[in-house]
């Protein structure tokens, strides 16, 4: 366990990216933790820069490096919003170094989740498709609505993100689908329907539709439509600032430091399980 009187030592990977800079700023905004390391890929132009200055904050006294093994050996927890391949490599490095890791990367394949499971045998691994407190409360509301409405309502999930997002549907939308399918007793792999084109035939009553919109600088909008005969219920979460996600991830990092090894998510962090 970490010393509860000392700030949690945090490393941020992908420190030059949009989320990386937000994470550095979020760590700077919490007294329970301190930035100890910041990483970028080898050869990046920002290597050697002060991570705080890079993030638009006061100088952090931490320069951006590229040696994950060295950095992870000096911290309590790593926060990683990079790519599936990099996140898996960082999880393995964290397991070897003995530090916790909080991952917000989406688009992981099943075998990559398996790699996180391997790391979780040795250290705490927190993975969530969305670290917004509001999104995780929304997931609870969706489960309640699905339990009440059952098969009387058709379910459609609509999400929109900025033009730069590379995976679709979003990890949050997929998580919403998983929650809905589990509540309704359905197999999401069987009932998921991703967009529609041409003569699709009548909509199956058990289907869960996904629709991904991309454009502009939209941070993240998610709406679940429950369409019944004579009425429609829509549950929506809109994010207007990425700091929402960064703040939740840093909250998870503080929570994860010193935990026993295992796979965790935001339900664990927020005490909702």
């Amino acid at each position: 366990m970490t010393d509860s009187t000392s700030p949690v030592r945090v490393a941020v990977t992908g420190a030059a990216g949009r989320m990386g800079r937000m994470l550095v700023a979020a760590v700077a905004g919490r007294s329970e933790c301190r930035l100890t390391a910041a990483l970028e890929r080898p050869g990046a132009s920002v290597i050697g820069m002060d991570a705080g200055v890079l993030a638009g904050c006061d100088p952090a006294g931490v320069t951006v490096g590229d040696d994950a093994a060295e950095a992870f050996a000096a911290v309590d927890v790593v926060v990683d919003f990079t790519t599936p391949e990099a996140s898996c490599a960082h999880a393995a490095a964290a397991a070897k170094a003995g530090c916790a890791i909080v991952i917000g990367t989406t688009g992981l394949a099943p075998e990559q989740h398996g790699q996180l499971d391997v790391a979780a045998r040795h250290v705490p691994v927190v993975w969530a498709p969305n670290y917004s407190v509001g999104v995780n409360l929304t997931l609870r509301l969706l489960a309640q609505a699905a339990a009440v409405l059952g098969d009387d309502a058709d379910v459609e999930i609509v999400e929109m993100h900025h033009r730069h997002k590379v995976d679709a549907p979003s990890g949050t939308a997929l998580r919403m689908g998983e929650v809905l399918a589990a509540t309704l007793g359905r197999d999401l792999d069987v009932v998921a329907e991703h967009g529609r084109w041409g003569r699709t035939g009548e909509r199956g009553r058990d289907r869960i539709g996904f629709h991904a919109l991309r454009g502009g600088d939209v941070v993240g909008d998610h709406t679940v439509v429950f369409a019944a005969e004579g009425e429609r219920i829509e549950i929506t979460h809109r994010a207007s600032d990425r700091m929402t996600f960064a703040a939740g991830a840093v909250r998870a990092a503080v929570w994860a430091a010193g935990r026993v090894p295992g796979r965790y998510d935001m339900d664990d962090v927020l005490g909702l399980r």
Side-chain angles (χ1 to χ4, degrees):
M1 296 292 288
T2 58
D3 181 354
S4 60
T5 63
S6 301
V8 174
R9 300 170 299 168
V10 179
V12 172
T13 61
R18 285 191 300 271
M19 274 306 299
R21 295 193 299 270
M22 287 283 184
L23 290 164
V24 168
V27 171
R30 290 192 65 144
S31 60
E32 310 99 307
C33 56
R34 65 179 173 86
L35 186 70
T36 304
L39 292 168
E40 261 298 340
R41 65 188 181 280
S45 61
V46 298
I47 300 297
M49 288 184 60
D50 184 281
V53 173
L54 183 61
C57 307
D58 293 333
V62 174
T63 57
V64 179
D66 60 7
D67 189 330
E70 179 182 4
F72 292 3
V75 302
D76 301 307
V77 59
V78 177
V79 184
D80 179 281
F81 281 63
T82 54
T83 66
E85 296 77 15
S87 293
C88 290
H90 291 149
K96 187 173 182 178
C99 61
I101 185 166
V102 172
I103 298 173
T105 305
T106 58
L108 275 70
E111 60 269 20
Q112 290 170 323
H113 275 289
Q115 292 178 52
L116 300 191
D117 290 336
V118 171
R121 299 172 190 167
H122 307 282
V123 295
V125 176
V126 182
W127 178 85
N130 194 307
Y131 283 88
S132 158
V133 173
V135 160
N136 285 279
L137 292 176
T138 299
L139 293 174
R140 284 300 175 115
L141 295 175
L142 293 176
Q144 290 180 329
V148 172
L149 295 169
D151 295 331
D152 291 334
D154 297 322
V155 184
E156 298 284 314
I157 302 170
V158 183
E159 56 98 341
M160 184 169 186
H161 286 79
H162 53 88
R163 65 167 64 90
H164 303 292
K165 187 168 180 59
V166 298
D167 58 311
S170 71
T172 300
L174 289 172
R175 181 59 185 148
M176 288 176 167
E178 290 169 355
V179 168
L180 292 163
T183 303
L184 294 167
R186 302 173 189 172
D187 183 344
L188 187 62
D189 290 337
V190 173
V191 303
E193 193 165 65
H194 296 277
R196 297 184 178 89
W197 179 262
R199 294 181 60 84
T200 61
E202 183 175 321
R203 184 194 195 281
R205 292 290 292 175
D206 65 342
R207 312 308 287 180
I208 296 177
F210 289 86
H211 310 275
L213 286 65
R214 296 289 179 268
D217 61 354
V218 178
V219 173
D221 295 350
H222 294 85
T223 296
V224 176
V225 180
F226 296 91
E229 297 294 331
E231 62 180 350
R232 184 172 71 247
I233 299 170
E234 298 182 4
I235 298 177
T236 297
H237 178 274
R238 301 187 192 279
S240 57
D241 191 333
R242 286 186 182 83
M243 184 54 76
T244 299
F245 311 130
V250 174
R251 178 173 176 172
V254 172
W255 178 89
R259 297 277 168 179
V260 298
R263 276 292 293 266
Y264 300 101
D265 59 21
M266 278 299 278
D267 277 357
D268 299 301
V269 174
L270 298 176
L272 297 175
R273 194 175 302 287

